[in-house]
Amino acid sequence: MTNRYVENLSVVLKKYENKDEAEKMSQYMRGQFSYFGLRAPQMKDVTKNYIKEFGFPSSEDIPIVMKQMYSLDQRELQIIALAIMDHKLKKDPDISDIEILEYIITTKSWWDTVDHIAANQVGTYFRKFPEHVEEYVEKWLESDNIWLIRTSILYQLKYKQETNFQYLKEIILRSAGTKEFFINKAIGWALREYSKIDGEAVISFINEYNERLSNLSIREGLKWLKSKNLV
């Protein structure tokens, strides 16, 4: 049985269905997802108005709401689910939230949701509950799930000066040596972001381990430094 909150939201989104846009959006995502066909500005307005009228689900209802929104076909529901989780983590974080985060990372996984979950939600969660970092990162790195591994690499993306670069290097070296695009790209992205804080440290790391890092990771990792003529 569908939760009433999710059911009402689906009805509202259906009113704005645009099949031509939905087809274009599905093609862009390689046919992996269905869409109602709402573009970003319209999605923002519809979501804002819906939440204004119905509010956010209670903390107790979040797990079932999230799972039901992820069980439905249209991708817009998963995007709105992320906005709901953003609010939950900001207003009422709980140590058990990691269970639903792990669920949404591994369900209907693609970069459009996982990257937001990693950098914004898992990053926020680990700031609030640092005692869970090692347990879950280790678990994810040992998994065969590329999205959990990508999350492990990217969760510090917005930490800036607070980045634990020593741990990031360990995570990268454990993840390197693969041909998986999304992992190698994530390595480069994480290095590129940290290069804005300590470019010399990133250059030194890449020089030391260039044989273990993919060309993609190295290229992405040095991109910002090269744009500033710093390497």
Side-chain angles (χ1 to χ4, degrees):
M1 180 177 179
T2 306
N3 177 276
R4 181 61 62 84
Y5 187 92
V6 179
E7 183 178 359
N8 289 342
L9 179 57
S10 298
V11 170
V12 170
L13 290 170
K14 179 71 174 177
K15 293 178 182 178
Y16 297 91
E17 187 173 30
N18 184 321
K19 292 184 179 180
D20 288 339
E21 289 295 326
E23 179 63 25
K24 292 176 185 176
M25 295 164 82
S26 181
Q27 288 178 0
Y28 178 71
M29 298 300 280
R30 302 182 184 179
Q32 295 185 95
F33 308 109
S34 300
Y35 288 84
F36 286 111
L38 282 75
R39 288 293 180 180
Q42 190 178 29
M43 270 279 289
K44 183 177 179 180
D45 289 342
V46 171
T47 303
K48 180 180 178 180
N49 291 334
Y50 187 82
I51 290 172
K52 183 177 180 180
E53 181 174 356
F54 295 99
F56 288 95
S58 67
S59 293
E60 293 74 19
D61 285 345
I62 287 289
I64 190 169
V65 167
M66 298 294 289
K67 288 182 178 180
Q68 289 193 359
M69 291 178 80
Y70 263 75
S71 74
L72 298 174
D73 291 335
Q74 289 80 7
R75 194 59 164 170
E76 287 93 343
L77 287 159
Q78 284 100 62
I79 301 301
I80 295 174
L82 298 189
I84 292 172
M85 199 65 198
D86 284 342
H87 181 267
K88 168 70 166 67
L89 288 166
K90 181 179 180 181
K91 297 295 184 180
D92 188 27
D94 185 88
I95 200 163
S96 66
D97 289 337
I98 192 66
E99 297 172 10
I100 196 67
L101 291 175
E102 191 173 60
Y103 177 83
I104 61 179
I105 291 167
T106 56
T107 305
K108 296 189 176 178
S109 311
W110 200 240
W111 60 265
D112 63 325
T113 55
V114 171
D115 290 357
H116 180 88
I117 298 165
N120 294 282
Q121 298 180 357
V122 174
T124 295
Y125 177 89
F126 282 154
R127 281 184 189 272
K128 295 180 182 294
F129 305 105
E131 65 273 22
H132 266 191
V133 173
E134 185 174 355
E135 174 188 352
Y136 278 90
V137 170
E138 293 299 310
K139 173 186 174 183
W140 294 346
L141 290 175
E142 290 295 324
S143 75
D144 293 325
N145 188 294
I146 65 169
W147 302 107
L148 290 174
I149 297 170
R150 184 173 170 95
T151 298
S152 300
I153 298 165
L154 295 178
Y155 81 86
Q156 296 190 81
L157 203 64
K158 295 187 176 182
Y159 282 20
K160 300 185 184 297
Q161 289 87 351
E162 296 178 21
T163 300
N164 183 339
F165 189 53
Q166 181 58 43
Y167 194 38
L168 176 60
K169 290 190 290 184
E170 293 174 17
I171 291 169
I172 287 172
L173 290 175
R174 288 178 61 181
S175 307
T178 178
K179 294 182 179 180
E180 174 53 56
F181 170 85
F182 285 107
I183 293 177
N184 289 326
K185 184 80 169 182
I187 290 171
W189 188 8
L191 290 172
R192 184 173 76 242
E193 283 305 300
Y194 192 69
S195 74
K196 300 172 185 178
I197 306 302
D198 190 345
E200 290 186 3
V202 170
I203 293 169
S204 176
F205 175 72
I206 288 175
N207 286 339
E208 183 175 359
Y209 294 102
N210 67 87
E211 292 185 359
R212 294 179 61 179
L213 299 172
S214 70
N215 290 334
L216 173 60
S217 297
I218 293 171
R219 184 170 64 253
E220 290 294 320
L222 296 176
K223 184 179 287 185
W224 185 83
L225 292 170
K226 286 187 176 181
S227 74
K228 301 297 181 181
N229 296 315
L230 296 174
V231 64

